[in-house]
Amino acid sequence: MFCNEYSVGQIENRPLKQYEISASKLILELGYNIDFDDEKEDYDFDHEENVVLLDGRKMSWADVKVNGFDWLSLSYIDSKGNVVQFADYELA
């Protein structure tokens, strides 16, 4: 919501990347380590006290605190039962 700003052209022309992973169990992990109230002065608000996101959309402060996360990780379980991480992104 607050990082990795892309132009409209970049968003519309981003290539789909196919991983060579057989059908398996996918694990999505999200990290919530942001103290939003402590960092509230760092955000842009409109006249109705909604947070203005990078793409111009607006979201209530309560929704930002519920939906905001600062990292994500994707893993899968291979045929031997091993957890294999293939994506790990810091978003803040």
Side-chain angles (χ1 to χ4, degrees):
M1 295 185 300
F2 303 107
C3 59
N4 293 336
E5 185 174 356
Y6 295 99
S7 70
V8 173
Q10 289 171 311
I11 291 170
E12 292 175 350
N13 296 301
R14 291 172 64 188
L16 180 61
K17 182 175 182 179
Q18 182 173 352
Y19 290 93
E20 297 299 322
I21 301 170
S22 61
S24 60
K25 183 182 247 184
L26 183 66
I27 302 166
L28 169 65
E29 297 177 273
L30 301 173
Y32 298 89
N33 195 29
I34 301 171
D35 185 343
F36 285 102
D37 289 320
D38 190 46
E39 299 179 10
K40 189 172 183 176
E41 68 278 354
D42 296 333
Y43 296 92
D44 293 325
F45 290 86
D46 67 7
H47 65 281
E48 296 176 356
E49 293 301 310
N50 291 309
V51 178
V52 180
L53 305 179
L54 285 178
D55 64 2
R57 291 180 297 145
K58 297 175 182 176
M59 181 181 285
S60 73
W61 181 242
D63 285 343
V64 166
K65 294 190 327 184
V66 170
N67 297 318
F69 55 91
D70 59 342
W71 62 266
L72 70 86
S73 172
L74 291 169
S75 306
Y76 68 94
I77 299 176
D78 68 13
S79 60
K80 296 177 184 175
N82 299 312
V83 175
V84 179
Q85 185 179 70
F86 64 94
D88 185 24
Y89 299 102
E90 175 73 29
L91 304 173

